[in-house]
Amino acid sequence: MKTLTVPGDPHSVTAIVLPKTEEFHDHEIVRINSSDGSQTVEKKIFRIVDGGEDKWELQFE
């Protein structure tokens, strides 16, 4: 399982834009941590779209 870090509350994340350095798949479950390490949530990727400029946009359910 891949782990991503975001500022703020990871429970409210509906999409993340990331560089195309890693491969992700639709319906893959990822762990999202808050940058201060106080909160963690697991979310399923609903859809992956091209975010432009060599980036992916991961959209969550």
Side-chain angles (χ1 to χ4, degrees), residues 6-7 9-16 32 43 60-61:
V6 298
D9 181 5
H11 295 90
S12 64
V13 171
T14 57
I16 297 177
I32 304 172
K43 291 194 172 207
F60 300 100
E61 294 181 333

Side-chain angles (χ1 to χ4, degrees), residues 2 4 18 22-26 28 30 45 48 56 58:
K2 295 179 180 135
L4 307 171
L18 301 168
E22 287 192 62
E23 187 174 323
F24 293 91
H25 303 282
D26 290 349
E28 180 179 358
V30 295
I45 298 171
I48 302 170
W56 294 121
L58 309 181

